[in-house]
Amino acid sequence: KGIDDILVNQQKNKINSIAGWEKKKTDIKKRLQWVLGEEPPGVENPGPESLEKAGKGEDGFGSFISRPQPTPTMGLMPISGYNGFGDYLYGNLYYPIDKEEKLKNKKIPVVIYLHEYNHSHGFSYPYSRNMPSLIQSVVDRGYAVFAYDMIGFGNRIKEGTRFYQRYPHWSKMGKMVTDAQAAIDALVNLDFIDKDNLYMAGYSLGATVGLITAALDERVTGVISVAGFTPMRLNTPDRGTEGIKAYSHLHGLLPRLGFFVGNEKRIPIDFHEILSLIAPRPLLVIAPLHDKDAHILDIELSMEQTGKIYNLYGDSDNISLFSPDDYNRFSVKMREKMLEWLPEK
């Protein structure tokens, strides 16, 4: 079928135990790390650690991008400045509040929301007009929501220039994953965040970053991917899409994939393996039937293979695929499915 059996190891033997799968996981992670490139040394930023150490937001460097604002039931904590995250990065944490504008609960679960390809706006709402209502609806379910601009987007658009002159052996996707892990570092250190309930959700590019981050970081409780992937080894240009050139050439996210253009079957990692690294944690994949950048039958094959690992753990209920009769967008119906899937707190 073009997608190898996830339950066969390198020696072509059948995997029939969790111990056998754990050995294969190590190899898959190595191959994924190779595609992402070599991350340079860095220093972990513990973040603000408490609500009292909230930053002043993005005004300090003259941002003109509008962000979702607080409401009577939703507070806003800028994680920025010296109490930011990662390498001096900025983000907004939205959280549920009571009538006195205080934290609604002592420990609040959190969703890290990662935006789509949106170079000029990042996670702002003049372009993504549903962003305020999306964040509000998640907060209404008892969650905090953390959002920030990924490298090359919004207020970080210039940061994406000359990246490969500075980091010739790394990748922009690798940097995006590192930043997502830095966001996790800061959130788990916040005294009011429930670190045992930390979810990642994203649309398009953000979904891809969320899947890879969760595959490599077991602190992630569960993942929601909206139009986030199509199997790479099957995604050849003759099938009407940009193929892996979308990663290696068009967006410059994973340059090493460029070695495999025209020879896609030799790509060292594919999405059914990445998804399987998330098992047995909860995973919701939303894949619209008419996505011009994806092949729904191939996605179903990937999910079928990933399901074998969930079955191995005895957690087949933790993986689900929702395929609405729609095109590549984050529709109201898809948002409702995401909210329905998130456990109410």
Side-chain angles (χ1 to χ4, degrees):
K1 294 179 179 180
I3 295 179
D4 56 300
D5 190 343
I6 196 71
L7 286 178
V8 174
N9 61 23
Q10 285 183 303
Q11 291 74 41
K12 308 299 181 185
N13 296 323
K14 186 75 173 178
I15 296 172
N16 52 25
S17 68
I18 294 174
W21 164 243
E22 290 290 334
K23 290 180 181 178
K24 185 172 181 178
K25 272 180 69 173
T26 302
D27 173 65
I28 294 173
K29 284 184 178 181
K30 286 180 180 177
R31 288 185 272 125
L32 177 56
Q33 291 284 9
W34 181 86
V35 171
L36 293 174
E38 300 163 22
E39 180 182 346
V43 177
E44 180 181 320
N45 187 341
E49 299 180 329
S50 67
L51 189 59
E52 290 71 27
K53 294 181 181 178
K56 295 183 178 180
E58 299 169 300
D59 294 340
F61 58 82
S63 171
F64 60 88
I65 299 178
S66 299
R67 306 296 194 188
Q69 294 300 302
T71 70
T73 58
M74 180 175 74
L76 166 59
M77 176 186 182
I79 294 181
S80 60
Y82 291 110
N83 290 320
F85 71 102
D87 51 353
Y88 206 71
L89 301 180
Y90 288 52
N92 281 356
L93 180 65
Y94 301 89
Y95 56 90
I97 55 175
D98 58 24
K99 293 180 180 179
E100 297 177 351
E101 298 186 0
K102 295 181 180 179
L103 287 167
K104 203 165 185 179
N105 296 301
K106 291 182 179 180
K107 286 292 183 180
I108 301 173
V110 64
V111 174
I112 299 175
Y113 181 79
L114 300 168
H115 62 75
E116 67 272 33
Y117 290 98
N118 187 1
H119 289 279
S120 58
H121 295 289
F123 79 91
S124 68
Y125 68 88
Y127 179 82
S128 301
R129 295 186 182 277
N130 66 345
M131 187 59 65
S133 61
L134 173 64
I135 292 175
Q136 181 72 65
S137 58
V138 176
V139 169
D140 288 344
R141 287 188 71 81
Y143 291 79
V145 178
F146 185 57
Y148 62 93
D149 290 339
M150 293 189 286
I151 183 171
F153 297 85
N155 276 327
R156 299 177 65 191
I157 195 165
K158 287 188 176 180
E159 190 184 335
T161 63
R162 300 182 182 178
F163 179 87
Y164 291 106
Q165 289 177 262
R166 290 174 286 154
Y167 307 109
H169 303 293
W170 203 12
S171 69
K172 284 187 179 179
M173 182 68 79
K175 169 63 172 164
M176 290 174 177
V177 171
T178 294
D179 289 347
Q181 291 182 297
I184 295 171
D185 292 337
L187 290 169
V188 299
N189 282 336
L190 274 172
D191 56 11
F192 64 90
I193 290 296
D194 180 0
K195 65 181 180 180
D196 295 323
N197 280 283
L198 189 151
Y199 294 83
M200 302 200 79
Y203 165 50
S204 183
L205 172 61
T208 309
V209 175
L211 290 170
I212 295 174
T213 303
L216 296 173
D217 197 319
E218 296 192 358
R219 293 176 297 176
V220 178
T221 306
V223 192
I224 301 166
S225 165
V226 182
F229 73 95
T230 195
M232 294 183 287
R233 292 175 187 148
L234 300 178
N235 191 21
T236 52
D238 60 292
R239 299 186 66 194
T241 64
E242 292 151 348
I244 57 171
K245 275 191 172 183
Y247 291 122
S248 61
H249 290 65
L250 180 59
H251 298 290
L253 295 170
L254 290 166
R256 290 184 177 181
L257 285 182
F259 292 122
F260 303 95
V261 173
N263 203 359
E264 284 80 4
K265 288 187 178 179
R266 297 192 66 183
I267 296 173
I269 188 79
D270 211 341
F271 278 103
H272 69 293
E273 296 170 304
I274 294 170
L275 298 178
S276 295
L277 293 178
I278 299 171
R281 292 167 287 165
L283 170 63
L284 170 64
V285 171
I286 299 177
L289 292 176
H290 309 294
D291 186 346
K292 66 179 179 59
D293 300 313
H295 307 287
I296 188 62
L297 294 179
D298 297 350
I299 292 171
E300 290 173 355
L301 285 175
S302 287
M303 294 294 286
E304 180 184 318
Q305 287 297 320
T306 304
K308 294 181 180 182
I309 303 302
Y310 278 83
N311 288 335
L312 197 65
Y313 282 102
D315 287 302
S316 57
D317 291 340
N318 278 357
I319 182 173
S320 56
L321 172 64
F322 176 58
S323 300
D325 188 10
D326 211 329
Y327 57 92
N328 189 328
R329 62 172 180 155
F330 198 0
S331 68
V332 172
K333 191 173 184 179
M334 297 177 203
R335 287 169 55 192
E336 290 173 349
K337 182 66 177 180
M338 167 183 165
L339 293 170
E340 174 190 315
W341 184 86
L342 278 172
E344 190 166 1
K345 300 297 181 181

